[in-house]
Amino acid sequence: MKRLLLGAVCAFSLTVGTAVQGGVQAADEITVAALTFVSSSPLFIAQERGYYEEEGLDVSFEFFRAAQPVAVAIASGDADFGVTAFTAGFYNLAANGSLKVIGAQSREEPGFEFSAYLASNAAWEDGLKAPEDLPGHELGITQRGSSFHLMLGLLAEELEFDVDAVKLTTLEAVPNMMSAVSTDQVDAVILPGWLARRIEGEDGGRIIGWVHDYTPYQLGGLFTSSDNVEERRDVVERFVRAYQRGAADYAEAFHQFDEEGNRVFGEEAEALIPIIQQYTDATPDAIKASASYIDPEGALDVGSVYQQVEWLQEQGLVAAQADPASFIDLSFIDSHFNLPE
Amino acid sequence: MAEAVRELKFRGGGFAPGRKRWTALVFFALVLGIWQLAGSRGWVSPLFLPSPLAIFEALRAEAISGNLWIHLTASLQRIGLGWVLGTLAGLALGLAMGLFTLARSVGLPLVSAFFPIPKIALLPLFILWFGIGEASKLVTIGMGVFFPTVVAAYSGVDTVPRNLVRMAQSFSLPYSAIVWKVVLPGAMATIVAGFRITVSLALILVVAAEMIGAEYGLGAFIISAGHLMMTDRLLGGVVCLSILGLLAGTGITLLERRLLHWR
Amino acid sequence: MQVIAEAIGHDYGPLPVLENVDLAVREGEVLAIIGPSGCGKSTLLSILGGLLQPSRGRVLLKGQPQADCLNPLTFVFQDFALLPWRSVAGNVELVLEHHRLGSAERRRRVADALARTGLSDFAAALPKQLSGGMRQRVGIARALAVRPAVLLLDEPLSALDAQTRELLLEDFESLWVRERTTAIYVTHNLSEALRLADRVAVFSRRPGRLKELVEIPLPRGQRSGAQAQVELAALHDRLWGLIRAEAQSAVTELEHG
């Protein structure tokens, strides 16, 4: 019923045209599925600064505790837009034809510390001093096909070691990974940088490298349902515009460096932090520490997505018929880059 | 005028449900048929509800690759060992609670306090205590099995008619003989009924136990399939669990027939 | 062997059920205990059999049981108390298993007990397959298998229908004609007492006191003749008068209390 209603509203807005944006016509109601992570900030900024409103969109948020349900909510039509990290599960869902990736979320970008390789104290003593030493060790991850597993796969490709030489232990959730590494039950984990720093600060392990130094890659994306792309193209375009403005504000605020190459957070950042706090419940310091790189135009590193899907397919974690070309729609943003031939 | 004669209306029917094997099979086949039809006609997306054939295919692929057997044996070992450990410990405490005042005074509040704790919630703690290896998995399953077994054994002993114990005492049977020959067989019906529950619990808990640090196992397989959004494999794993549940139930029925043939 | 109750008294919590009972059971006699419901008859039997610790008084045993006796004081229960998971023979065997008997001797005793109670053909049957009367016969066979010095029968026939009761009564009669096992027979049925007992102990209503101890002058097995019937009828009336007075005042007490 709700979807029928939305369809009707959408059809109406198409016939009347977009000239009267934000004018007399009622705003299009849309639902955005998200995690309360700093990496979703452009969504929150666009809301708080009225960018959606200016595009004639009435946005309400639906928050989830894990990445998977966000994608499921879009696929099932319970939400219109979502932002999360790429995982094998996401790609399998997308390969099914119900999702379209239309923009970028965070990426591992040189200079931006986001994910860290963290060795346990025992393993460090035994010589696990760099990501190059990982073969022959046990790595704790949440699940097969998770971002962390993907990061290991990309590292193996980059450093040309056999990924099977790293023994994987699935620990379901990040807190379990943290307790496992700090009690020496696994040799290493890959963790969000600020958590890795916290463990290192408590002497529970040693950071042995940063993912952005080894394998910069597209962490996640902005996506919508295939139905939306086909039937409500206008709404999607308007949403992407608002999202891009949010991303630009975010980049302006959080992508700054001083002369020595250290990140700095100026007035713009201070202005955005309260907005992000509203949604993430994180302290200003935590926000700064976990502020990843988000493309100011929401542009995707398309080649990275192809590479991820290919590796996951080799591992048998993504269906062989999954084709990135079929679930990435490049038509909403001009500046996507690293396009495969 | 002759009195009208009418036949007495029977009013004693109902309230005696029986079982007919073939009705269940027909119903099952019908549900499967409709399900398959819904899938192959495209009424429902294969992602949301994979068709029975797709599930079968997914299972077949796992069986051919040999992975299914590795998963099955890994889980069966955990279920078997965890269940046996939990059952032995539960029987020991439950019988003690049925027989001794001290054990009952200590055990009853203990069981009331710890039984309702979801063992799954304690998994992170078990991992800290017992590591991410097999021990924490066995403890998870064993703990889940332990408490219902305690309750079953304890109330089983309570249901043994007092007069049988008095009879045994009146013939001067030694204490141990009364326990072995009177109390235990008398409590057996309740204990075996408890097995029916704990075997199912062990199957439920193996999924939780294998959430963490398990490379192989049906639970690990199901959870991984869920994360990978491979719903056909997910349901395939669930089907395996159901079959195990059915087999276990049949096994218990056979056990009941053997141990409780006198009923 | 003789059983002697000395100033036995018993309370269930605040409720006194037996008061100051002195009773000596003679060797070889059948002593019937009758009295209104709730007078503590069964309680007294439990005390005499060592299953219940009396609140006051003590039970003394005098003399030795015969050599082949395995369980001097042996009960026959009102509800039979058979293990439902054991066969007829298994139930009899249960009470022999903890004694040092050769397996041949054990089997002999089981077979003998079953033969004496007419159960030989039912050795393998389960209790649920037997009628109530047959089940009580298993209870009696079990008691006989240990060659008791004193049989303690706790209303052994009251769970049975009238016909079965009659048949078992005959069994008891011939049993006590054949072998003179001392027996204490608790019943609320006066005619059972008059058929079987050498003496009848009449108890008052709760708290139960020994009200009268009546000797039955006719030997068992000779109580069916016309002359005997007349004598017994007189005795019956006298005893019934005693019990009725007690039972009525018990009812009145209940109604007004």
Side-chain angles (χ1 to χ4, degrees), chain B residues 5 7 15 17 20 40 43 95-96 128 146 150 170 202 215 221 240:
Chain B
V5 175
E7 201 179 335
F15 298 103
K20 281 185 181 154
S40 41
W43 296 339
L95 292 178
L128 285 178
F146 175 73
V150 170
S170 80
E215 193 170 2
F221 176 74
C240 285

Side-chain angles (χ1 to χ4, degrees), chain B residues 6-263:
Chain B
R6 60 200 190 285
E7 201 179 335
L8 176 69
K9 212 172 123 199
F10 174 60
R11 54 185 175 182
F15 298 103
R19 272 185 78 183
K20 281 185 181 154
R21 211 157 267 279
W22 60 268
T23 29
L25 284 177
V26 167
F27 180 75
F28 204 59
L30 207 68
V31 169
L32 276 183
I34 293 171
W35 182 358
Q36 179 62 42
L37 203 68
S40 41
R41 286 287 173 85
W43 296 339
V44 291
S45 150
L47 180 73
F48 289 97
L49 188 64
S51 71
L53 272 182
I55 295 170
F56 178 76
E57 273 306 316
L59 269 185
R60 211 171 64 108
E62 290 298 318
I64 289 171
S65 74
N67 278 339
L68 187 61
W69 315 119
I70 300 175
H71 290 307
L72 260 177
T73 40
S75 282
L76 282 177
Q77 274 170 10
R78 286 176 190 131
I79 293 170
L81 205 55
W83 185 82
V84 167
L85 289 176
T87 298
L88 287 180
L91 284 180
L93 179 62
L95 292 178
M97 279 167 62
L99 293 170
F100 306 116
T101 309
L102 179 69
R104 178 171 302 208
S105 321
V106 176
L108 220 47
L110 194 89
V111 168
S112 306
F114 288 101
F115 195 0
I117 297 175
K119 306 331 160 230
I120 296 166
L122 291 183
L123 195 56
L125 258 189
F126 290 162
I127 286 167
L128 285 178
W129 296 343
F130 306 108
I132 43 181
E134 287 302 302
S136 60
K137 297 175 184 65
L138 294 181
V139 169
T140 307
I141 297 172
M143 283 281 274
V145 169
F146 175 73
F147 288 104
T149 308
V150 170
V151 173
Y154 151 74
S155 43
V157 171
D158 262 11
T159 60
V160 177
R162 274 298 296 169
N163 67 325
L164 292 186
V165 175
R166 269 168 56 92
M167 179 275 292
Q169 288 176 322
S170 80
F171 284 96
S172 298
L173 265 72
Y175 193 90
S176 61
I178 296 179
V179 171
W180 280 108
K181 295 174 183 172
V182 179
V183 174
L184 263 182
M188 201 46 83
T190 318
I191 291 174
V192 175
F195 286 175
R196 211 175 266 288
I197 294 168
T198 55
V199 166
S200 307
L201 268 176
L203 285 170
I204 292 170
L205 285 169
V206 78
V207 177
E210 288 175 352
M211 237 158 54
I212 291 182
E215 193 170 2
Y216 294 107
L218 272 183
F221 176 74
I222 289 171
I223 287 169
S224 170
H227 281 274
L228 297 173
M229 274 293 150
M230 295 177 164
T231 43
D232 49 352
R233 282 172 60 170
L234 183 142
L235 284 178
V238 170
V239 166
C240 285
L241 276 185
S242 299
I243 292 173
L244 286 184
L246 266 176
L247 288 177
T250 312
I252 303 251
T253 306
L254 289 178
L255 189 73
E256 267 176 349
R257 277 199 201 137
R258 243 193 103 72
L259 285 178
L260 307 171
H261 61 99
W262 48 271
R263 292 214 297 180

Side-chain angles (χ1 to χ4, degrees), chain A residues 68 72 75-76 88-89 92-93 96 98 138 143-145 167 169-172 176 179 183 185-186 316-319, chain B residues 45-48 124 127-133 210-215 220 223-230 233:
Chain A
Q68 198 91 314
V72 173
S76 65
N92 279 321
L93 206 56
N96 207 256
S98 41
E138 188 178 353
Q143 272 296 334
R144 275 161 205 284
K167 186 184 182 304
T169 298
T170 54
L171 296 165
E172 191 64 17
N176 298 342
S179 61
T183 53
Q185 296 196 48
V186 292
L317 297 170
V318 164
Chain B
S45 150
L47 180 73
F48 289 97
I127 286 167
L128 285 178
W129 296 343
F130 306 108
I132 43 181
E210 288 175 352
M211 237 158 54
I212 291 182
E215 193 170 2
I223 287 169
S224 170
H227 281 274
L228 297 173
M229 274 293 150
M230 295 177 164
R233 282 172 60 170

Side-chain angles (χ1 to χ4, degrees), chain A residues 44-45 48-49 249-250 252-254 265-278 284 287-288:
Chain A
F44 310 143
I45 296 167
E48 295 303 314
R49 293 203 160 158
D249 286 1
Y250 175 90
E252 180 70 24
F254 290 103
F265 303 93
E267 264 175 45
E268 252 305 293
E270 296 304 334
L272 286 184
I273 282 171
I275 291 177
I276 299 169
Q277 263 187 302
Q278 270 182 48
I287 291 172
K288 287 174 191 168

Side-chain angles (χ1 to χ4, degrees), chain A residues 39-82:
Chain A
S39 51
S40 303
S41 291
L43 294 174
F44 310 143
I45 296 167
Q47 174 82 326
E48 295 303 314
R49 293 203 160 158
Y51 301 154
Y52 297 130
E53 212 178 323
E54 286 170 31
E55 294 287 349
L57 299 171
D58 180 3
V59 168
S60 57
F61 285 101
E62 181 100 43
F63 290 108
F64 293 89
R65 297 183 61 84
Q68 198 91 314
V70 174
V72 173
I74 308 297
S76 65
D78 290 310
D80 298 295
F81 296 92

